Amino acid sequence: MSPQDPLPGTRVRIALTDRPGDHATVRVIASPRRDMVRDGLLSAPLQPFADALLVDVSIGERILLPGAWVQPEVLQRGEPVAPTPVSAADLRPPAVIAGDSEQAALCWGETVWPLDLGGAVAIPDSGRADPHPLSRLRRLLLVAAGRREEIALTLWRDPGFEIPWQDVRLLPRAAAWFELAQVPAGLRYADAERAQGVGRARSRP
């Protein structure tokens, strides 16, 4: 853990555009190296995010990204605002695709669901596990806010999931990746943890 890792509840304001008052608030949910290790280690699905921060992002009272992996620069370059408490229900890791085609998996935090790609489909770099820098986070927020005309990106949103914004980066037809994944329709993150016995559902002595 770095001494610079911000505590859960730490918040900063980031500008979305140059217009006065056009900003979003980023709140730290967890630092993987400090808050998500078990027996001193991060699980394999979380290892790509060892140096990242799990945050949620809101505009006003509306949470646009309930879970996002970001680079520490997002906090370092933001304007500090008063912290707010974080609860266990706020821990919502976004989904990412990890591994090569033949060993690809859809990962939510510690949960891992295999992707039946048969080794024939190349996963675009935009679908790889990679914490967002500030510039990309701004673009994601403009999309999440319905301001698509301001940025040429598309993301898939499925309101049936507990985590509304499935973080599969900039894939224009990301729903197809979830159809390939062996994830039962409507499954929520807490259900996935229980099904696999990981995360908050991990058996404890």
Side-chain angles (χ1 to χ4, degrees):
M1 180 183 73
S2 165
Q4 287 77 37
D5 285 348
L7 293 171
T10 299
R11 298 192 305 163
V12 299
R13 185 177 293 128
I14 60 171
L16 295 179
T17 65
D18 293 335
R19 293 194 295 272
D22 191 15
H23 58 256
T25 301
V26 178
R27 178 178 65 157
V28 175
I29 302 301
S31 165
R33 291 174 298 186
R34 180 190 59 225
D35 306 317
M36 304 177 82
V37 295
R38 296 185 184 277
D39 299 323
L41 298 173
L42 277 178
S43 63
L46 291 174
Q47 286 175 8
F49 307 105
D51 297 321
L53 294 169
L54 178 63
V55 303
D56 62 20
V57 191
S58 59
I59 294 181
E61 299 298 317
R62 179 186 173 201
I63 296 181
L64 292 182
L65 295 178
W69 294 110
V70 300
Q71 295 179 8
E73 65 142 1
V74 171
L75 274 290
Q76 295 162 1
R77 295 174 60 186
E79 175 190 353
V81 295
T84 60
V86 170
S87 69
D90 296 322
L91 185 65
R92 296 184 177 185
V96 296
I97 298 170
D100 296 324
S101 295
E102 294 183 8
Q103 302 295 327
L106 185 70
C107 302
W108 292 345
E110 292 189 53
T111 69
V112 180
W113 299 93
L115 289 169
D116 184 16
L117 302 180
V121 178
I123 300 171
D125 288 341
S126 57
R128 296 284 180 184
D130 179 32
H132 297 301
L134 180 59
S135 59
R136 191 163 65 206
L137 182 64
R138 282 195 183 108
R139 296 197 298 269
L140 290 174
L141 288 167
L142 289 173
V143 174
R147 295 162 58 177
R148 294 173 182 269
E149 71 282 358
E150 298 182 50
I151 186 69
L153 295 178
T154 57
L155 285 176
W156 171 62
R157 183 175 186 176
D158 184 342
F161 282 90
E162 180 181 59
I163 313 167
W165 280 89
Q166 302 299 332
D167 191 358
V168 287
R169 305 296 186 252
L170 314 180
L171 303 177
R173 291 172 297 279
W177 293 89
F178 282 84
E179 291 169 1
L180 287 169
Q182 299 174 24
V183 182
L187 190 74
R188 294 177 181 272
Y189 184 71
D191 299 327
E193 286 184 318
R194 283 192 292 272
Q196 297 189 349
V198 299
R200 292 166 290 185
R202 184 190 298 269
S203 59
R204 292 175 173 81

